[in-house]
Each structure stands twice: as structure tokens, then as C-alpha cells.
């Protein structure tokens, strides 16, 4: 008997057990009545979900199959009468079950498209059993944060917090943007300590061992050192001890309500052993019509040189190997690593290219931020070069460059940039300029590629440029000689700020560029995270000026940004907020000595506290929620409206939108531990209504094996759609 036969035999037994169980007559009658009202097509599965007290509203119904070339599932939510329809299923045999808050998973039963299938929900026998299905944020919020009175830290001989962590916000920013941004800390695999770690006197020692695990060991060590290893390990050990003793989250999540029940989520496996995916790209941003019905491309970052490709029409998964220029380019396989409880000593990551972020251009070509060589820059980047940008700011190293893949020719172009790259986006100018971010602020420059010139000449040296971030502190409206970032203001000069972008987005309303630099938790610099408005001018490396903006004191730690079609900036904050900034509301010109503070336009900001609990002991108005990035749905591709901001809220295991000033939370319940870093939209058929469009995202945790399914849990690709009602098919 093979695995598939065993799976379906088990389903058949579960289905028989569910059939012979005795239900109250009233509940059976309700189910029969509801099923009669559910209309399905030959490629749908539908019915009614009931529990002991009648129909179960706002619970998920999951149908999954292994019959297709890659594993596939579809998820919907029941309406207020417990009815559901899973639409447009590929022809296959499915197992179907119910998952929801207040429940444990129902028995998995066999289902076939074209047939009604009533399901019986299983009530959680205990609060602890119910809490196993809560999003990780609810568990993570139980972590006790040092009180505001403990900051600034007094060092290892004092309270264990380094003096460089000057306030509670910096501590929180670190545990979110240096820790939670890589993997879901509240997931089952993290909130519990595996016996496979070994035998220890206490959980503090177990945490010390845990932090030495795997190929991310060095990054974890740096992050924990930033907030004070003794203090941090003590607090994380206390957190897992309390959970092991039976303590539960103080707040319970609510079931999907209203339009949240209209969501349809399709899920494909894509990836290989040990792989994780950072991002996925489906189309070009301005029209979202390029690559219609075509393949989705992923970025495996530190885990592999293989670019995953998923064809959603045929449900097939393949890979494309990303090349690199220099055979001496190091691999993550050689990272300093401790043994893993999941993989032992096996270094499952093997990436030379560190492919971070992909974008599709207006011709369907795929551009990546990727490492193509060792860090040392060529001579044309350094002091003494004739390259115009190098004369302004010579660059000695870059950790990641650019590449382009043309699906029509199946050929790669490797673009040797002097500046480091992290994210990338195309402007709408005549040169179709590709603007990039370096990720961290250390280089203090913003780089770009003139793609028109590059595609005509393939001269990657002359086609690139970069500029430092210069603020008009002398107030004369133009860029002049400037003082460096570590020098005091000079009333006759401008001021440089070491604020290399993390998020980057050309404005849709003019030729300016918006960027966002990371706060102390990620940058590890004593500098806040700014929103930066870059005004390039006629010769950006010589003329670009920047305006800096900080949110009100309640908010901090911006990460990622996007813009609406009328130029309003949206970002997410590690303080637990989604925030908008409207430059048009600024009452004063952003220039003069005060401009370097970032505090000249508080009137431009609006903050929205994310749903969910706050950390234990934190009195600020934010939330324990963490969002990796934000994407503005300019074209109503999801179906919640045009210019709706959508945050990748991986703490809440959801995509979270703001519609008419109110949050809409689209929780992804399967597998538990959904972790998105960004989304992309595509319109495959504008005449097909909701079925012809949707958002795409990938399971972006560096450790998918922490979550439901363990080491068998391959990375997932998700398509998220909004239909007009929960029964639309």
C-alpha cells in the first residue's frame, strides 16, 4: 500500500465514523435544509457545517489533494448559516475538513467535486486545545517586555540590557524586525522547547542551545546580543516555561466576520527540501496584466540558487537555476552552524545567489536582487574611478547585485552593480529606471539602473548610478556641499544622512522616489527609521535632495512602503500600527536645520493600531502584531476596493487590509503558521469578475519546518481572492 492509498483509506474510515455518529434530529434537519440552499457546479464541493448547537458560522473548510502534479488545497469560510462552497476545484480526489476558533480539526472525509458534502465540526474539549489553533501573535504577546523604567539599559553588570537600547520601543523593534521578520516566533515549534535539543538543568540553558541551531546561528547571535543575551534569554525561557505550565493567551481571536467570509484561498506546494521562499512575483505593478495566466516566480534567498516556478493552470512546479559570475562566490552551505533538531548536521541551505526580491517588467522579464559575485567591488566602483557616482560616494563592497531572466529566450543577464540591492521597483520615466534599496543603511546610498540604456547596450557600468541621502539643511532649495552624517550641522551646508532604503517605491504621481529606512532593531544604528522622499533632480548623483519624515511618538519602526495612485504613502510600524503619510498635508516647507529631525510634518500622519493583543506589560497603544511589508492594491485586484493598503501581518498569520478606515483581516488557517513577507497582484481576465484576478503570496518563513507539518511542510504559494459572497461559484 502506497502513501496515497493509505491516506484515502484513512479518510474513508473517518467518513464512515462521521456517518454513523448520532446527531440530534434538529441539527440534522438544519443541515439538510441548508444543503438544499447550497448550489454547486460540477467542479465545486459545498454543503453545511454543523456543530452541537447548529450551524457553525465563520469557520474554515479545507479541501486538499495529492492527485495533482503538486500538492494543492483550497480554503473557504462558512456563511452565517454554516454553508460553504469551495469553487473551481481541479479534477481530483480530495480530503475535506473543518477548522475554526473554538474547535479542533474535524475528521477528514473524502470529497469529490460536483457533490454536496455536509460536515460536522468538532468542539475543542478544553481551552488549551482550542488555543493550539490561535495565530502565533496571541502566544507571542505573552512574552514579558522589560518595563519602560529599565531603559536605557545598564549593561551586563546592571539590568542585562545594553546601554545602546535606549527605550522600550528599541527593544520591541529588535524582537520584531530582527527576529519575527525571519520566522514566526509564536508558532508551535518556537513556543515549545523540543526534547531533541538535549537535556538541560533549565529552559534557560535550553534556549542558549536553541540559539546556536542551524545555519542562521550567526544572525540569531547578533540579534540576541543587541538586546542583551542574559536578559533576553531569561525572558524567553520564562515565556516557554509559563506556556509549558499551561498558561494560555489572555485574548482570543475572533472568527472571520462580514466580508472576511468571502475569501477564497488556493494553496500549492512549491519548493525543495529545506528551501524557504522570500517573495513571489506574478505580474508588473502598474497594470497587473503582464504575464496573465503565466507562471509565478519565487526568490529562495539564503536557501537555494534554484528559482521556483509554479504554473497555476497546470498545477506544475519546476525550478530554474540562477547563475553567478565568480566561482569563488561563497555559499550559505558553509555558514557557521550548530546542529538542528530538524536537520541534524545537514546544511540544507546552499545558496550562492541570495535571491531576495523579484519584479516583472512591462515585457514580462523577471528582475531579481541577487548576489552574482563576492562582496569586493570592482575598481570602477571605488575611489579614483571615472564613474560619476563613484566620484561622489565611492563604494568598496556590495552584498547583492541585480539579474534579469527572460522567459522567452530562457537566458540570464547578470548586472554587476556597485551598490547593494534588497528590493526593487520600476519608475514610469522614459528610461524605465529600476530603483533599488540596499536593505540596511550602512552604505547610505540609493542605487538605480537605467534599464533602457542597459537593454540597448548591455553596459552595466554606464547604466547604473547612486546617490547619498542629502537633506537641505541650509534651506536654499538646492543641493550644495554637505557635511557627513557624523559631522555637526553647518549653516552654510547641507547634511548627509546614513539612511539607505529598505522599502523603495517610485511615486505614481511625479518623478520622485519614496523610500524607508529601518529603525534600530534592524539597522543596529542609533538612528530612527525614516520615511524618505527623494527628489532626484536632473542629475541624481549630484542633485538629489531628500525629505525625512518620522511618525508621531506613538509609532516607530517602519518597514516597507507603497503608495496609492494619488501619492499617499502607506507603511507598517513595529509599534503595532499601519500608518499613512500624506505629503500634501504638510504646512511648512521641509528645509532648514529642523528638516534633519524628520519631525516637520506630524499633520501628514494617520496611525491605525493593528488588531490583536499587546505584549504583556506594555502600556503603549500598539499591538504585538508584526508585519513584514505592505502592498497597496491600486487597481482593486483583490476586490476590497482601489488603493486599499494590505499588510503582510505574519504575527496574525494573515493579510490585513484597511477598508474605509476599518481593518479587514484575511486569516490563512492552513498550514498553521502562515508567514507572508509581501504580496503581488495579477489580473488574468478583466472580464471574468473575481475569478479573473487575485493576490499572490508565498510562505516566507525561513523555518517552515517550525510550523504545521514539520520537515514535510514544503513552502506554499497562495492565491487569495474575494468573491461577492461566501457561496459564489
Amino acid at each position: 500500500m502506497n502513501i496515497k492509498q493509505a491516506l484515502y483509506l484513512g479518510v474513508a474510515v473517518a467518513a464512515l465514523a462521521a456517518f454513523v455518529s448520532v446527531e440530534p434530529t434538529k441539527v440534522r434537519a438544519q443541515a439538510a435544509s441548508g444543503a438544499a440552499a447550497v448550489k454547486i457546479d460540477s467542479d465545486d464541493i459545498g454543503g453545511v457545517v454543523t456543530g452541537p448547537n447548529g450551524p457553525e458560522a465563520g469557520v474554515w473548510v479545507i479541501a486538499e489533494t495529492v492527485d495533482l502534479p503538486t500538492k494543492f488545497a483550497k480554503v473557504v469560510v462558512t456563511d452565517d448559516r454554516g454553508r460553504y462552497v469551495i469553487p473551481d476545484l481541479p479534477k481530483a480526489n480530495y480530503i475535506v475538513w473543518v477548522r475554526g476558533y473554538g474547535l479542533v480539526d474535524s475528521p477528514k472525509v473524502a470529497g469529490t467535486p460536483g457533490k454536496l458534502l455536509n460536515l460536522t465540526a468538532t468542539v475543542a474539549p478544553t481551552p488549551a486545545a482550542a488555543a493550539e489553533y490561535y495565530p502565533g501573535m496571541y502566544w507571542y504577546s505573552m512574552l514579558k517586555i522589560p518595563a519602560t523604567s529599565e531603559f536605557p539599559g545598564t549593561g551586563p553588570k546592571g539590568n542585562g540590557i545594553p546601554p545602546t537600547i535606549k527605550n522600550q520601543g528599541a527593544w520591541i523593534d529588535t524582537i520584531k524586525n530582527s527576529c519575527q521578520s525571519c520566522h514566526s516566533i509564536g508558532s508551535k515549534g518556537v513556543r515549545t522547547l523540543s526534547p531533541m535539543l538535549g537535556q538541560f538543568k533549565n529552559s534557560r540553558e535550553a534556549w542558549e542551545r536553541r540559539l546556536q541551531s542551524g545555519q542562521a546561528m550567526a544572525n540569531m547571535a547578533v540579534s540576541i546580543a543587541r538586546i542583551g543575551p542574559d536578559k533576553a534569554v531569561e525572558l524567553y525561557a520564562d515565556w516557554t516555561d509559563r506556556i509549558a505550565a499551561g498558561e494560555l493567551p489572555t485574548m482570543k481571536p475572533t472568527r472571520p466576520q462580514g466580508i472576511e467570509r468571502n475569501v477564497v484561498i488556493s494553496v500549492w506546494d512549491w519548493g525543495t527540501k529545506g528551501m524557504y521562499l522570500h517573495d513571489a512575483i506574478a505580474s508588473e505593478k502598474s497594470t497587473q496584466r503582464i504575464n496573465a495566466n503565466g507562471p509565478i516566480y519565487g526568490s529562495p534567498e539564503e536557501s537555494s540558487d534554484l528559482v521556483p516556478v509554479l504554473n497555476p493552470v497546470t498545477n506544475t512546479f519546476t525550478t530554474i537555476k540562477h547563475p553567478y559570475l565568480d566561482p569563488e562566490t561563497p555559499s550559505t552551505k558553509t555558514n557557521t552552524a550548530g546542529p538542528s533538531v530538524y536537520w541534524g548536521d545537514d546544511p540544507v541551505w546552499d545558496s550562492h545567489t541570495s535571491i531576495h526580491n523579484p519584479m516583472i517588467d512591462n515585457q514580462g522579464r523577471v528582475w531579481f536582487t541577487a548576489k552574482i559575485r563576492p562582496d569586493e567591488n570592482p575598481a570602477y566602483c571605488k575611489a579614483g574611478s571615472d564613474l560619476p557616482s563613484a566620484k561622489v560616494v565611492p563604494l568598496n563592497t556590495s552584498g547583492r547585485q541585480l539579474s534579469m531572466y527572460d522567459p522567452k529566450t530562457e537566458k540570464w543577464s547578470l548586472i554587476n552593480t556597485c551598490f547593494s540591492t534588497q528590493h526593487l521597483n520600476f519608475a514610469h520615466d522614459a528610461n524605465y529606471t529600476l530603483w533599488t534599496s540596499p536593505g540596511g543603511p550602512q552604505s547610505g546610498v540609493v542605487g538605480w539602473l537605467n534599464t533602457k540604456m542597459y537593454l540597448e547596450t548591455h553596459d552595466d557600468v554606464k547604466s547604473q548610478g547612486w546617490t547619498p541621502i542629502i537633506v537641505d539643511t541650509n534651506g536654499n532649495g538646492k543641493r550644495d556641499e554637505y557635511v557627513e552624517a557624523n559631522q555637526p550641522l553647518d549653516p552654510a551646508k547641507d547634511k548627509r544622512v546614513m539612511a539607505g532604503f529598505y522599502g523603495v517605491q517610485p511615486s505614481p504621481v511625479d518623478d520622485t522616489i519614496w523610500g524607508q529606512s529601518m529603525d534600530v532593531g534592524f539597522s543596529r544604528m542609533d538612528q530612527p527609521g525614516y520615511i524618505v522622499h527623494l527628489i532626484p533632480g536632473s542629475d541624481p548623483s549630484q542633485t538629489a535632495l531628500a525629505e525625512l519624515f518620522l511618525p508621531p511618538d506613538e509609532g516607530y519602526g517602519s518597514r516597507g512602503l507603497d503608495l496609492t495612485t494619488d501619492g499617499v504613502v502607506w507603511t507598517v510600524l513595529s509599534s503595532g500600527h499601519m500608518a499613512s503619510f500624506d505629503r500634501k498635508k504638510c504646512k511648512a516647507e521641509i528645509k532648514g536645520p529642523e528638516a534633519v529631525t524628520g519631525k516637520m510634518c506630524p499633520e501628514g500622519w494617520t496611525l491605525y493600531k493593528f488588531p490583536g493583543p499587546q505584549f504583556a506589560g506594555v502600556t503603549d497603544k500598539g499591538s504585538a502584531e508584526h508585519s513584514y511589508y505592505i502592498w497597496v492594491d491600486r487597481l482593486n485586484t483583490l476586490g476590497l476596493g482601489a488603493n486599499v493598503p494590505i499588510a503582510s501581518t505574519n504575527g496574525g498569520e494573515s493579510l490585513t487590509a484597511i477598508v474605509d478606515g476599518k481593518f479587514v483581516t484575511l486569516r490563512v488557517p492552513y498550514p498553521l503558521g502562515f508567514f507572508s513577507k509581501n504580496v503581488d497582484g495579477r489580473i488574468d481576465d478583466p472580464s471574468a469578475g473575481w475569478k479573473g484576478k487575485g493576490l499572490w503570496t508565498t510562505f516566507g518563513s525561513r523555518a517552515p519546518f517550525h510550523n504545521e507539518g514539520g520537515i514535510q511542510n514544503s513552502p506554499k504559494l497562495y492565491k487569495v481572492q474575494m468573491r461577492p459572497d461566501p457561496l459564489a461559484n
Side-chain angles (χ1 to χ4, degrees):
M1 181 183 298
N2 61 31
I3 293 175
K4 187 182 297 185
Q5 290 171 328
L7 173 64
Y8 286 114
L9 178 60
V11 167
V13 172
L16 179 61
F19 179 77
V20 300
S21 63
V22 178
E23 292 185 308
T25 303
K26 181 179 179 181
V27 174
R28 285 205 311 270
Q30 288 174 334
S33 174
V38 175
K39 297 180 180 179
I40 62 172
D41 296 330
S42 60
D43 56 358
D44 308 332
I45 295 176
V48 179
V49 178
T50 56
N53 299 313
E56 290 281 359
V59 298
W60 296 284
V61 181
I62 305 165
E64 184 174 61
T65 184
V66 293
D67 286 353
L68 302 175
T70 190
K71 191 176 181 180
F72 174 79
K74 212 159 199 177
V75 184
V76 299
V77 187
T78 58
D79 70 2
D80 58 358
R81 293 166 59 184
R83 301 175 298 176
Y84 76 94
V85 171
I86 308 175
D88 304 330
L89 289 164
K91 186 177 181 181
N93 296 303
Y94 289 85
I95 56 172
V96 187
W97 73 99
V98 179
R99 174 171 287 183
Y101 299 136
L103 308 175
V104 295
D105 281 358
S106 68
K108 295 180 177 181
V109 299
T112 305
K115 295 183 180 179
L116 292 170
L117 181 64
N118 292 331
L119 300 167
T120 302
T122 304
V123 176
T126 63
E132 289 296 317
Y133 295 85
Y134 293 179
M137 169 184 60
Y138 287 79
W139 292 96
Y140 198 28
S141 69
M142 296 166 61
L143 179 70
K144 293 178 180 177
I145 305 297
T148 55
S149 60
E150 296 189 62
F151 299 94
T154 55
K157 295 183 179 180
N159 64 4
I161 301 172
T164 52
I165 302 297
K166 296 182 177 179
N167 54 57
Q168 189 185 65
W171 211 92
I172 293 173
D173 186 55
T174 305
I175 67 166
K176 286 189 177 181
N177 280 329
S178 277
C179 302
Q180 176 77 1
S181 61
C182 287
H183 52 154
S184 182
I185 306 253
S187 63
K188 181 74 170 180
V190 181
R191 69 176 184 258
T192 57
L193 288 169
S194 170
M196 294 176 66
L197 283 167
Q199 297 296 318
F200 304 96
K201 290 188 298 185
N202 51 50
S203 55
R204 181 188 178 104
E205 289 188 359
W207 265 95
E208 290 172 351
R209 160 65 182 85
R210 166 182 264 182
L211 291 168
Q212 299 173 48
S213 297
Q215 291 162 273
M217 170 185 172
N219 192 52
M220 289 192 290
V222 171
S223 295
I224 208 75
R226 277 286 300 167
I227 52 178
D230 290 339
K231 184 69 170 182
V233 169
E234 173 189 325
L235 292 172
Y236 277 104
D238 168 74
W239 176 59
T240 49
D241 281 347
R242 288 184 284 115
I243 291 172
E247 187 174 330
L248 300 176
T250 56
M251 183 181 287
K252 299 178 181 180
T254 57
R255 292 181 177 181
Q257 304 289 325
I259 60 174
E260 295 171 348
R261 297 178 179 175
N262 297 352
V263 71
V264 178
I265 304 166
S266 302
V267 189
W268 292 263
D269 274 20
W270 70 331
T272 58
K273 177 186 175 183
M275 182 185 283
Y276 74 88
L277 281 304
H278 193 282
D279 279 314
I281 197 70
S283 189
E284 178 266 346
K285 186 172 179 64
S286 66
T287 68
Q288 293 169 31
R289 297 284 303 279
I290 302 298
N291 193 40
N293 293 304
I296 313 299
Y297 299 88
S299 52
E301 203 188 20
E302 303 292 279
S303 67
S304 178
D305 294 328
L306 299 175
V307 175
V309 183
L310 192 286
N311 185 325
V313 176
T314 61
N315 302 297
T316 52
F317 161 68
T318 56
T319 60
I320 306 169
K321 187 173 179 62
H322 191 299
Y324 45 96
L325 286 174
D326 190 331
E328 298 301 316
T329 305
S331 169
T332 53
K333 191 172 185 177
T334 63
N335 285 2
T336 301
S340 164
V341 300
Y342 299 93
W343 307 107
D345 292 321
D346 185 10
V348 293
W349 294 354
D350 184 8
S351 171
H352 303 79
T353 50
S354 187
I355 311 162
H356 188 269
N357 188 214
M359 284 291 158
I360 290 178
D361 69 14
N362 55 15
Q363 299 300 312
R365 295 168 294 223
V366 191
W367 299 71
F368 296 90
T369 54
K371 190 176 186 70
I372 62 173
R373 56 168 172 83
D375 289 353
E376 183 72 16
N377 272 344
Y380 61 77
C381 305
K382 300 178 180 180
S385 168
D386 291 333
L387 197 63
S389 295
K391 291 180 179 180
V392 179
V393 181
L395 298 174
N396 293 325
T397 61
S398 62
R400 192 183 281 122
Q401 297 80 40
L402 288 170
S403 66
M404 183 192 74
Y405 176 73
D406 188 340
K408 295 177 182 177
T409 63
E410 299 184 350
K411 292 183 178 179
W412 286 91
S413 298
L414 303 181
I415 304 162
N416 199 350
T417 63
C418 300
F419 49 86
S420 290
T421 64
Q422 183 96 342
H423 294 96
L424 69 172
N425 269 297
F426 292 96
H428 53 76
D429 62 334
N431 292 324
Y432 202 46
T433 305
L434 182 62
W435 288 87
T436 73
S437 68
Q442 289 77 11
S443 71
V445 302
V446 178
W448 65 86
L449 183 77
N450 180 332
T451 64
K452 181 175 183 293
M453 179 186 294
Y454 175 75
L455 291 168
E456 289 173 352
T457 66
H458 293 282
D459 189 331
D460 50 4
V461 178
K462 292 182 179 179
S463 301
Q464 65 178 290
W466 61 92
T467 180
I469 303 296
I470 309 297
V471 179
D472 183 18
T473 50
N474 68 9
N476 68 357
K478 63 186 181 72
R479 179 161 142 189
D480 303 298
E481 186 179 352
Y482 55 86
V483 297
E484 288 293 339
N486 60 354
Q487 297 174 333
L489 286 174
D490 182 329
K493 298 180 179 180
D494 292 330
K495 171 75 170 177
R496 184 182 182 189
V497 177
M498 297 296 286
F501 292 172
Y502 183 82
V504 60
Q505 186 63 252
S507 170
V509 299
D510 56 32
D511 292 327
T512 64
I513 311 301
W514 286 87
Q516 163 271 321
S517 65
M518 297 298 288
D519 215 321
V520 293
F522 184 94
S523 71
R524 297 159 188 157
M525 291 176 60
D526 186 14
Q527 178 173 285
Y530 299 106
I531 298 297
V532 184
H533 186 207
L534 186 71
I535 303 148
S538 59
D539 180 11
S541 61
Q542 300 281 347
T543 59
L545 278 173
E547 299 174 333
L548 308 181
F549 302 102
L550 286 175
D553 289 344
E554 177 186 346
Y556 53 82
S558 60
R559 187 182 188 112
L561 86 169
D562 201 356
L563 278 74
T564 61
T565 54
D566 59 352
V568 175
V569 179
W570 282 89
T571 189
V572 288
L573 305 175
S574 62
S575 55
H577 298 84
M578 193 185 296
S580 67
F581 177 75
D582 189 345
R583 174 66 178 81
K584 298 186 293 295
K585 293 181 179 180
C586 297
K587 298 175 182 178
E589 291 187 76
I590 312 301
K591 62 182 183 179
E594 192 181 351
V596 79
T597 68
K599 297 183 177 181
M600 289 190 69
C601 186
E603 62 272 18
W605 289 92
T606 304
L607 269 58
Y608 304 83
K609 174 192 170 298
F610 276 126
Q614 178 58 289
F615 282 111
V618 176
T619 58
D620 288 348
K621 296 178 181 179
S623 163
E625 181 65 274
H626 174 267
S627 181
Y628 190 93
Y629 216 84
I630 192 166
W631 186 82
V632 173
D633 188 0
R634 299 178 186 174
L635 303 178
N636 190 25
T637 306
L638 177 58
L640 293 176
N643 288 317
V644 167
I646 302 169
S648 303
T649 40
N650 51 44
E653 300 176 16
S654 59
L655 301 178
T656 302
I658 290 182
V659 181
D660 298 327
K662 297 182 179 179
F663 281 106
V664 174
T665 300
L666 304 178
R667 195 146 276 147
V668 179
Y670 177 72
L672 292 171
F674 172 73
F675 191 101
S676 170
K677 289 183 174 174
N678 204 359
V679 301
D680 187 41
R682 188 170 76 191
I683 301 169
D684 293 316
D685 183 354
S687 65
W690 71 271
K691 292 188 177 185
K693 59 185 183 178
L695 301 190
W696 296 86
T697 189
T698 189
F699 193 99
S701 168
R702 286 192 173 203
F705 42 83
H706 282 169
N707 303 328
E708 183 177 6
I711 61 174
Q712 303 304 320
N713 182 24
S714 295
K716 312 293 181 187
L717 177 68
Y718 300 85
K719 184 180 184 182
V720 182
Q721 298 170 284
M722 295 295 290
R723 50 186 171 177
D725 62 76
L727 301 182
N729 62 353

